[in-house]
Amino acid sequence: MRYLTAGESHGPELTAIIDGLPAGMPLLAADINLELARRQGGYGRGGRMKIEKDQVRITSGVRHGKTLGSPVTLVVENRDWKNWQTVMATEEVDAKEQKLRQVTRPRPGHADLVGGMKYHHKDLRNVLERSSARETTMRVAVGAVAKKLLKELEIEIAGHVTVLGGIKASIPAEISIAEVKERSENSEVRVIDPTVEEKMKQLIDQTKKNGDTIGGVVEILVGNIPAGLGSYVQWDTKLDAKLAQAIVGINAFKGVEFGVGFEAANVPGSKVMDEIIWSKETGYRRKTNHLGGFEGGMTNGETIIIKGVMKPIPTLYKPLMSVDIQTKEPYKASVERSDSTAVPAASVVCENVVATVLANEILAKFSSDSFEELKTSLAQYRQYVKNF
Ligand code: EPS
């Protein structure tokens, strides 16, 4: 499976084409719309999310609620486009119109300046229109299709916020993926610890008043994943590495941890490795899951536990100092509309990019021209692994 996304933040629409899905997989626009709505939510979102009501149109690859095995095209309209038709016109416009909403004062921490240098854009709007996190809409749309595939294969996935602006949620040692899902879904900041919810919301309000932004950490859990996805034989076949790329590929994400993560630097090996056990009912298991479901770049059958850290959004209402690229004079950076935090929304994006990488790996490993074939070969493999 492969996919590409296209579209500018204030262009007419966003598009994705997914190639390589099995035929006969159930898929409805409603499956995708649910994820798109989840991405739009979360306390701390800004004005754009009041304008948009993201809805997908499936324009190829699906018939009567099932995939055809042909490329699936997904289209999401930008409602805001109606306010940007001249600024974002594909046709030529006159010199005066070219100056409308022009950006010449790059925002520190954003793609603006380096993107302009690289592509020779003197209007930095040409950079920010694509580097905007609006693009994550399509990564979520694609991820929703991947999630549907995983759900049909009884693989469960949940995401939640563990840190927001320095406030840490406490996470019970024994909590099921279903419960993480339910609790985070009922929280405006996607935390499973109700004692920090109010504090986080207050911090978001205060941050907004200060014209500032905050970042945080999100955690993704994936359960009932078969052992043996990914491979140890080449660096670029390691599945944990592919997941790390997908997460750091999300706008503003700066780092990834698996299981105990960076804490592994502070404890001996006996506290990091997970002892192996076997029983007739469960097959091979690990007594603990410090390694977060990966050994040798492959899934080991335990729950995948990944954390990603998101820096605060660099678009600030109280802007930092920058330089005007026309005059070279010091100026405050451009002010574009922004969110005071997008960490809760980003946890939804994270879930979806993780789902995409995992679905892709499953499709590569098992016979998957048709969805029936895929289900049968995965079931046989699960049985084989249990008795290995
Ligand atoms: C976003 C859309 C953007 C921003 C935000 C996230 O829309 P607009 O630029 O029209 O306000 O709200 O992105 C950023 C702040 C950023 O710096 O990328 C979205 O759809 O998630």
Side-chain angles (χ1 to χ4, degrees):
M1 183 182 91
R2 57 198 169 137
Y3 77 96
L4 272 181
T5 75
E8 274 69 46
S9 181
H10 304 103
E13 55 192 33
L14 305 166
T15 312
I17 299 180
I18 316 171
D19 192 29
L21 284 169
M25 183 183 104
L27 184 64
L28 297 170
D31 299 317
I32 300 169
N33 288 338
L34 184 91
E35 290 298 322
L36 295 180
R38 293 178 73 229
R39 191 201 76 93
Q40 286 203 271
Y43 202 80
R45 294 286 258 162
R48 179 72 184 270
M49 291 304 108
K50 293 191 180 76
I51 300 172
E52 302 298 340
K53 197 174 183 320
D54 293 337
Q55 298 273 302
V56 76
R57 258 188 315 127
I58 305 176
T59 60
S60 78
V62 179
R63 181 165 182 244
H64 301 165
K66 291 216 167 122
T67 54
L68 295 171
S70 55
V72 171
T73 307
L74 308 175
V75 180
V76 175
E77 187 192 324
N78 285 321
R79 285 193 176 185
D80 207 9
W81 156 245
K82 64 177 189 304
N83 305 314
W84 293 80
Q85 292 190 35
T86 308
V87 178
M88 295 303 294
T90 52
E91 299 300 309
E92 288 180 328
V93 293
D94 64 33
K96 204 170 140 233
E97 287 171 329
Q98 277 180 31
K99 296 250 184 292
L100 290 171
R101 305 296 302 258
Q102 200 181 44
V103 177
T104 59
R105 296 170 194 167
R107 295 162 296 172
H110 229 290
D112 303 350
L113 179 60
V114 193
M117 287 171 172
K118 180 173 171 65
Y119 291 101
H120 295 221
H121 288 313
K122 288 294 188 172
D123 180 355
L124 302 177
R125 174 156 304 284
N126 290 340
V127 178
L128 71 88
E129 281 293 330
R130 182 63 185 161
S131 65
S132 163
R134 178 83 190 131
E135 186 270 340
T136 60
T137 307
M138 290 331 275
R139 273 186 271 173
V140 169
V142 172
V145 176
K147 264 189 155 186
K148 178 75 177 180
L149 183 139
L150 297 181
K151 194 175 172 201
E152 295 283 326
L153 301 175
E154 290 167 7
I155 295 166
E156 43 174 6
I157 182 159
H160 65 117
V161 173
T162 61
V163 184
L164 190 69
I167 302 173
K168 287 194 180 106
S170 84
I171 298 153
E174 292 293 321
I175 183 162
S176 71
I177 295 179
E179 194 166 352
V180 169
K181 212 167 153 176
E182 198 196 311
R183 284 209 218 168
S184 61
E185 210 62 28
N186 289 321
S187 157
E188 283 186 272
V189 280
R190 293 200 171 275
V191 282
I192 60 172
D193 173 5
T195 65
V196 293
E197 171 123 22
E198 226 18 72
K199 257 192 258 169
M200 285 179 173
K201 280 162 69 177
Q202 278 166 14
L203 180 63
I204 294 169
D205 291 341
Q206 191 53 51
T207 303
K208 194 175 174 183
K209 273 193 206 132
N210 299 346
D212 219 328
T213 55
I214 43 175
V217 176
V218 305
E219 182 177 72
I220 308 301
L221 306 166
V222 189
N224 197 28
I225 193 88
L229 295 180
S231 173
Y232 59 91
V233 303
Q234 290 287 358
W235 67 272
D236 59 352
T237 60
K238 289 173 187 273
L239 184 54
D240 45 4
K242 292 184 192 179
L243 287 165
Q245 185 188 18
I247 288 171
V248 179
I250 301 169
N251 309 44
F253 273 72
K254 296 279 113 187
V256 178
E257 288 184 325
F258 292 88
V260 292
F262 281 29
E263 185 54 26
N266 306 321
V267 280
S270 57
K271 298 267 186 307
V272 174
M273 304 323 139
D274 303 298
E275 287 187 313
I276 301 170
I277 49 177
W278 185 88
S279 82
K280 215 171 167 190
E281 294 71 44
T282 62
Y284 291 91
R285 294 291 317 259
R286 304 295 180 278
K287 258 194 200 164
T288 50
N289 188 14
H290 299 137
L291 291 174
F294 280 98
E295 287 168 315
M298 298 169 291
T299 52
N300 62 10
E302 294 299 322
T303 294
I304 296 178
I305 307 172
I306 317 175
K307 283 200 183 83
V309 62
M310 185 186 194
K311 73 178 179 184
I313 292 174
T315 312
L316 304 178
Y317 280 110
K318 207 170 86 191
L320 297 172
M321 287 308 291
S322 179
V323 171
D324 190 301
I325 59 167
Q326 281 172 349
T327 64
K328 311 288 187 282
E329 292 292 324
Y331 269 109
K332 290 201 160 157
S334 294
V335 180
E336 288 278 321
R337 188 166 42 197
S338 188
D339 310 302
S340 29
T341 191
V343 178
S347 88
V348 176
V349 180
C350 255
E351 276 174 39
N352 279 284
V353 299
V354 165
T356 303
V357 172
L358 295 177
N360 193 25
E361 208 66 31
I362 286 171
L363 293 175
K365 181 165 171 63
F366 301 101
S367 322
S368 54
D369 284 342
S370 81
F371 199 55
E372 280 310 307
E373 251 178 304
L374 173 60
K375 279 205 312 219
T376 309
S377 54
L378 177 60
Q380 278 167 359
Y381 178 76
R382 283 191 193 276
Q383 204 52 41
Y384 151 78
V385 160
K386 205 170 170 183
N387 299 317
F388 172 80

